[in-house]
Amino acid sequence: MALAVGPRAADAQPAQPPSEPEPMQHHAIALTGGSGLSLGSSGGGNSYAARTPGFVDIAWRTWHSTTPQWVTGFSLRAEVDGRTSVGVVPRFEFSRTVGRLTLRPGFAAVVFFAPFQLAGPEASFTVALRLGSVASLIGALAVDLFFIGNDLPPRSTVFSVNGALGVSIEL
Amino acid sequence: MSRSSCSQAALALLALLAAGCEAGRCVRHSDCASPLSCLATRCVIPPSDAGALDASDDAGARDAGDDRPADAGATTDDAATAPLDATPDATLDAPADLGSDAAGDAPDAE
């Protein structure tokens, strides 16, 4: 009997206008792959530019419909070019939609944890082109600075500029 | 943007992406083949494999700091030709030399 009271009580509340969607949490999954250019410098003044190992990102993003401009999420990142490594990339983005395009500047922390450790901040700019009701084509440009981890030579830092392309599916 | 400047930009991009193809150069340890590590942008034999005296040195000591100068380690090219036991012999000789010097100096000190 008590269970029947709940819906009736809800029905008694004033109904929201049908045009206003109910607030909800949105989620999206993206698969991207990328590479770029890495510049390594050591304390002795030596520097060298190399191609960034190709990587694959599986990203989860979430945002609330009341604040769609703030997007959080993380990626599982795997380097698959010449080595195999796994990392996580927690990120925070500002999202702005203009027509079919969604622009997302953001920042993240890249943490490779196996089989070596490598970490540093990342600034990114992602563009998503909506292809349908749920799918988007996404491209991203990211700048990384690695200065923590046992994959770095002593007293050296690695600066990377990477691009990535992929697809995103809103769940 | 004109067609020629666009072509130049594409060539510059290709040149940038082609960077890093030089053998034996690196920006990270994982850029090097398995037994080698990156030191001063070159793949070299890691100190632990080259006969370091510290017996406790292991793979986890990569980030412990390596003060060896850049030209102290063999590059990949040197690694293919230089005998690996050259450095261990040198390090093993060092204590003996020190000991003989110390023994030789002792009478002088008295």
Side-chain angles (χ1 to χ4, degrees):
Chain A
M1 295 300 288
L3 291 176
V5 172
R8 285 178 188 163
D11 291 343
Q13 295 176 354
Q16 292 182 344
S19 61
E20 187 175 335
E22 191 173 333
M24 63 179 294
Q25 192 74 24
H26 294 265
H27 305 275
I29 298 290
L31 175 66
T32 58
S35 182
L37 196 67
S38 294
L39 178 66
S41 64
S42 63
N46 295 307
S47 63
Y48 182 64
R51 188 171 59 81
T52 303
F55 60 86
V56 175
D57 250 23
I58 300 174
W60 167 74
R61 288 181 172 89
T62 185
W63 64 95
H64 198 267
S65 58
T66 57
T67 54
Q69 69 272 27
W70 303 121
V71 178
T72 59
F74 70 90
S75 299
L76 290 176
R77 180 171 295 182
E79 288 181 311
V80 293
D81 182 10
R83 77 214 68 189
T84 304
S85 65
V86 182
V88 293
V89 187
R91 63 163 49 88
F92 183 79
E93 294 173 321
F94 175 78
S95 181
R96 175 75 181 243
T97 300
V98 181
R100 293 172 62 196
L101 285 180
T102 300
L103 312 177
R104 290 200 197 107
F107 63 88
V110 183
V111 182
F112 287 101
F113 56 84
F116 49 76
Q117 288 82 49
L118 183 67
E122 176 181 281
S124 63
F125 188 83
T126 303
V127 178
L129 174 64
R130 184 169 279 275
L131 299 177
S133 59
V134 295
S136 298
L137 183 68
I138 60 175
L141 188 66
V143 176
D144 301 82
L145 181 64
F146 295 109
F147 53 86
I148 302 169
N150 64 4
D151 194 37
L152 290 174
R155 298 182 303 278
S156 76
T157 57
V158 173
F159 174 79
S160 297
V161 179
N162 300 323
L165 285 174
V167 293
S168 176
I169 304 292
E170 189 172 333
L171 304 176
Chain B
M1 179 181 287
S2 67
R3 178 170 289 185
S4 62
S5 61
C6 186
S7 301
Q8 289 172 355
L11 285 174
L13 181 63
L14 286 175
L16 284 174
L17 290 177
C21 297
E22 190 177 344
R25 300 300 298 270
C26 56
V27 297
R28 293 160 50 185
H29 291 308
S30 57
D31 292 336
C32 302
S34 179
L36 306 177
S37 64
C38 188
L39 187 64
T41 74
R42 292 186 181 279
C43 292
V44 299
I45 300 172
S48 57
D49 291 347
L53 289 175
D54 185 2
S56 64
D57 194 10
D58 56 15
R62 276 178 170 178
D63 56 347
D66 183 4
D67 294 326
R68 194 170 61 157
D71 56 352
T75 64
T76 48
D77 296 333
D78 297 332
T81 55
L84 285 176
D85 57 349
T87 304
D89 286 347
T91 55
L92 288 174
D93 289 344
D97 294 338
L98 288 173
S100 61
D101 290 341
D105 291 340
D108 296 336
E110 291 174 359

